[in-house]
Amino acid sequence: QVFLLPAMPAFTVVEGKTKHEVDLPPTTTFGELRKHVAQLVPCKVEGMKLLCKGKNRTDAETLEGAGVGPGAKIMLMLAPGSKLAAPAAVAEPAPAAKESKTAEPEPVEPVEVVAPGDGDRLSAVIRQGKRRFHVSIPATATVGDLKAALAPAAGVAAGYHRLMGKGKERQDAEALSTVASTSGKLELLLMLKEGHWVEEQGRAWMEEQRAELDRIEEQLVRIEKRKKHRGPDGAEAGVQAREELSLVEALQHGVDIVPVKGELLPEMKALKDRMKNVADRLQVIM
């Protein structure tokens, strides 16, 4: 005798460019789905939003209740800082070396930075983890001048720099000549303000949304062509437009809940404008 089990909906959880195929029973709650997705990504459950048909679903709702069926798409939105590092792979034991030589760590080449200016100059060594920056800068320069000269080489805007010397953070207005040690050496530690990491995570999140919107726009062009060729009988185009619109609405919801600041504000506005334009074109097809 053959017993038929209830069909399990095969649906897709979309996170930027990444898609996760999921098979779970229809009675699964979104709270249980969050825990399952947190293992796939991985990410913090509390920083996760699962959007289905344009709505952020609550933990108590079931897949069946939200109308999740085969082929459905659920958008995964992560607040900046929610994504976790993937667990490190367990390394296989290395085969025994034929020669018992101690491996020497490869030296990190210092980055040479020459700040513009005339007259006498100071030489500074800036440490950032394993990185070293050897900076030549005018003797009259300030800590703020040093940050500005260092920014292109460090790849981080000067506003996010913290330069530590003599056991404390040095202020932008301080003259470098007063920060040097009694022996005349100028050695400083470069640290980054917390806001840098928040902005970097926000930028990465926006790149993911742009990539998904690029895909939707490409699909929209195909749908518009199909609608034009088939005229009033293009019912299939309307169905596809409705599916894509639900994804755009999910993206729009995401940009409303993810905070960005400073330099990212114009980029966020441009992203919102693109989303509205795509949503309006999809509405016309429907």
Side-chain angles (χ1 to χ4, degrees), residues 190-232:
L190 172 61
M191 301 179 69
L192 302 179
K193 296 178 182 178
E194 182 180 353
H196 163 70
W197 304 114
V198 173
E199 182 168 325
E200 285 300 300
Q201 290 162 348
R203 192 181 301 279
W205 179 86
M206 287 181 63
E207 285 299 324
E208 292 178 353
Q209 309 318 300
R210 272 194 284 262
E212 179 62 19
L213 192 58
D214 287 343
R215 185 204 63 77
I216 294 174
E217 285 179 323
E218 291 175 2
Q219 180 69 1
L220 172 57
V221 171
R222 289 192 287 267
I223 294 173
E224 287 175 331
K225 288 180 179 178
R226 191 175 299 118
K227 179 74 173 179
K228 181 179 180 181
H229 291 316
R230 297 186 181 180

Side-chain angles (χ1 to χ4, degrees), residues 219 223 226-227 234-246 282 285-286:
Q219 180 69 1
I223 294 173
R226 191 175 299 118
K227 179 74 173 179
E236 182 184 350
V239 172
Q240 291 176 332
R242 190 172 293 107
E243 291 177 356
E244 296 299 332
L245 181 60
S246 68
L282 288 167
I285 297 173
M286 294 166 54

Side-chain angles (χ1 to χ4, degrees), residues 7-276:
M8 295 190 180
F11 56 92
T12 304
V13 175
V14 181
E15 178 217 353
K17 295 181 181 180
T18 307
K19 297 182 180 180
H20 305 277
E21 297 296 329
V22 180
D23 284 337
L24 289 174
T27 54
T28 300
T29 66
F30 275 83
E32 293 167 334
L33 176 58
R34 287 182 215 279
K35 294 177 182 177
H36 180 76
V37 171
Q39 301 300 315
L40 298 175
V41 175
C43 62
K44 299 176 184 176
V45 173
E46 58 271 20
M48 179 194 308
K49 290 187 179 293
L50 292 174
L51 297 107
C52 178
K53 299 183 179 179
K55 292 176 60 179
N56 180 33
R57 299 296 173 169
T58 63
D59 285 350
E61 290 182 88
T62 64
L63 299 178
E64 189 175 38
V68 177
K73 291 182 181 179
I74 296 177
M75 292 293 297
L76 169 62
M77 314 294 288
L78 296 176
S82 299
K83 203 159 188 177
L84 303 175
V90 179
E92 294 290 334
K98 293 182 180 179
E99 298 180 14
S100 57
K101 290 184 178 179
T102 304
E104 294 289 338
E106 292 186 11
V108 178
E109 289 292 329
V111 178
E112 301 292 337
V113 178
V114 179
D118 300 321
D120 296 337
R121 304 185 72 81
L122 289 174
S123 295
V125 176
I126 313 299
R127 295 181 291 108
Q128 184 196 19
K130 294 181 179 180
R131 303 173 78 189
R132 296 289 184 274
F133 302 92
H134 290 181
V135 184
S136 173
I137 193 166
T140 56
T142 64
V143 171
D145 295 330
L146 177 57
K147 290 180 180 179
L150 191 60
V156 179
Y160 290 118
H161 290 195
R162 297 177 63 203
L163 286 174
M164 315 296 292
K166 294 183 179 179
K168 65 178 183 178
E169 183 175 355
R170 314 312 303 198
Q171 301 305 307
D172 287 357
E174 290 184 85
L176 289 176
S177 57
T178 65
V179 179
S181 65
T182 53
S183 63
K185 288 184 178 180
L186 184 54
E187 295 187 2
L188 298 170
L189 174 66
L190 172 61
M191 301 179 69
L192 302 179
K193 296 178 182 178
E194 182 180 353
H196 163 70
W197 304 114
V198 173
E199 182 168 325
E200 285 300 300
Q201 290 162 348
R203 192 181 301 279
W205 179 86
M206 287 181 63
E207 285 299 324
E208 292 178 353
Q209 309 318 300
R210 272 194 284 262
E212 179 62 19
L213 192 58
D214 287 343
R215 185 204 63 77
I216 294 174
E217 285 179 323
E218 291 175 2
Q219 180 69 1
L220 172 57
V221 171
R222 289 192 287 267
I223 294 173
E224 287 175 331
K225 288 180 179 178
R226 191 175 299 118
K227 179 74 173 179
K228 181 179 180 181
H229 291 316
R230 297 186 181 180
D233 296 330
E236 182 184 350
V239 172
Q240 291 176 332
R242 190 172 293 107
E243 291 177 356
E244 296 299 332
L245 181 60
S246 68
L247 296 179
V248 175
E249 290 172 345
L251 292 177
Q252 288 175 313
H253 180 78
V255 298
D256 288 336
I257 63 175
V258 175
V260 298
K261 299 178 181 179
E263 296 178 358
L264 293 183
L265 287 174
E267 296 182 39
M268 179 65 93
K269 182 181 183 305
L271 186 61
K272 287 182 177 181
D273 291 343
R274 278 184 64 194
M275 290 179 180
K276 184 179 184 306

